[in-house]
Amino acid sequence: QSALTQPPSASGSPGQSVTISCTGTSSDVGAYNYVSWYQQYPGKAPKVMIYEVNKRPSGVPDRFSGSKSGNTASLTVSGLQAEDEADYYCTSHAGSNNAFVFGTGTRVTVL
Amino acid sequence: QLQLQESGPGLVKPSETLSLTCAVSGGSFTSSWWNWVRQPPGKGLEWIGEVHHSGLINYNPSLKSRVTISADKSKNQFSLKLNSVTAADTAFYFCANSPGSYRFDHWGQGTLVTVSS
């Protein structure tokens, strides 16, 4: 089981958009519409921002959106705000006895 | 509001067994899968495994030989045991629930376990 691949860092100015990729294989990201994204501040537990590729839990701003094409999922944060500066992780279902695989994580910096 | 709270020793000696418990409150223990996730300081997240109240269990293949996860629905809690620990097992350990659709909805605050003699 290999971790999903994310860029180590991404950045944008306030008001701009940033997109983070999450690349897996045909056994995880490509096989299931069960990709979710988590935001994590230093010293805190992660928080789900997107689930089932493009669904937002109640309370998550609509500035956060998700998509998937083939073996790669993406998280887009539009209208960047200072509070969006955090680490972001994707995860995908990876088969019946291998429920979850995480991405390597991306640190988003708001310039 | 569902709440999860990890508890257990913060220091474990090499080659010994790491044991943690997650107490669940404010929600139904029978409505979710219950997970353990860890994060070495300054590094990424790693899924360890999950348990259902029915007794079904799934483990990360890379840890399967050393991990045991169990659930006690009479106490609304679930547990993690990781044996033969080394310094590489030093991490923040989180418990989290998965109500379906393979996502983690609620998380504990995390607990740091250090493996050191």
Side-chain angles (χ1 to χ4, degrees):
Chain A
Q1 178 191 24
S2 298
L4 309 176
T5 301
Q6 298 179 231
S9 62
S11 63
S13 299
Q16 290 186 332
S17 294
V18 66
T19 297
I20 304 166
S21 61
C22 170
T23 301
T25 68
S26 57
S27 296
D28 39 60
V29 175
Y32 306 97
N33 287 324
Y34 288 127
V35 175
S36 51
W37 289 90
Y38 299 84
Q39 177 189 64
Q40 186 182 32
Y41 294 116
K44 300 294 185 182
K47 172 188 174 184
V48 60
M49 306 302 283
I50 295 287
Y51 67 98
E52 290 181 15
V53 176
N54 56 15
K55 297 180 180 178
R56 272 188 315 276
S58 174
V60 172
D62 60 6
R63 302 184 292 103
F64 291 84
S65 62
S67 62
K68 191 186 87 167
S69 178
N71 297 336
T72 298
S74 299
L75 173 72
T76 298
V77 186
S78 305
L80 268 175
Q81 299 182 5
E83 67 205 50
D84 300 330
E85 186 162 293
D87 293 327
Y88 291 84
Y89 293 89
C90 62
T91 187
S92 173
H93 180 44
S96 58
N97 294 320
N98 191 10
F100 297 93
V101 58
F102 275 99
T104 50
T106 299
R107 176 153 294 176
V108 169
T109 301
V110 181
L111 302 171
Chain B
Q1 174 80 339
L2 191 67
Q3 292 188 318
L4 294 85
Q5 179 67 58
E6 306 90 350
S7 62
L11 181 64
V12 180
K13 290 182 168 57
S15 80
E16 295 190 345
T17 297
L18 178 159
S19 296
L20 295 173
T21 297
C22 181
V24 178
S25 60
S28 171
F29 194 73
T30 59
S31 62
S32 291
W33 285 80
W34 304 98
N35 292 260
W36 287 100
V37 175
R38 70 178 182 178
Q39 184 174 36
K43 297 188 178 181
L45 298 164
E46 180 181 34
W47 177 71
I48 299 172
E50 62 179 358
V51 61
H52 191 258
H53 71 90
S54 63
L56 293 173
I57 301 171
N58 292 308
Y59 295 126
N60 183 326
S62 67
L63 296 169
K64 187 173 183 177
S65 63
R66 297 195 293 130
V67 173
T68 302
I69 295 176
S70 59
D72 186 341
K73 51 186 177 179
S74 69
K75 296 182 178 179
N76 275 13
Q77 65 184 36
F78 61 108
S79 299
L80 167 70
K81 291 187 186 298
L82 180 65
N83 59 38
S84 305
V85 297
T86 69
D89 295 310
T90 293
F92 291 93
Y93 285 77
F94 296 96
C95 56
N97 82 309
S98 176
S101 71
Y102 296 101
R103 72 182 191 269
F104 303 110
D105 263 8
H106 295 90
W107 296 69
Q109 64 185 24
T111 186
L112 176 62
V113 178
T114 302
V115 178
S116 175
S117 56

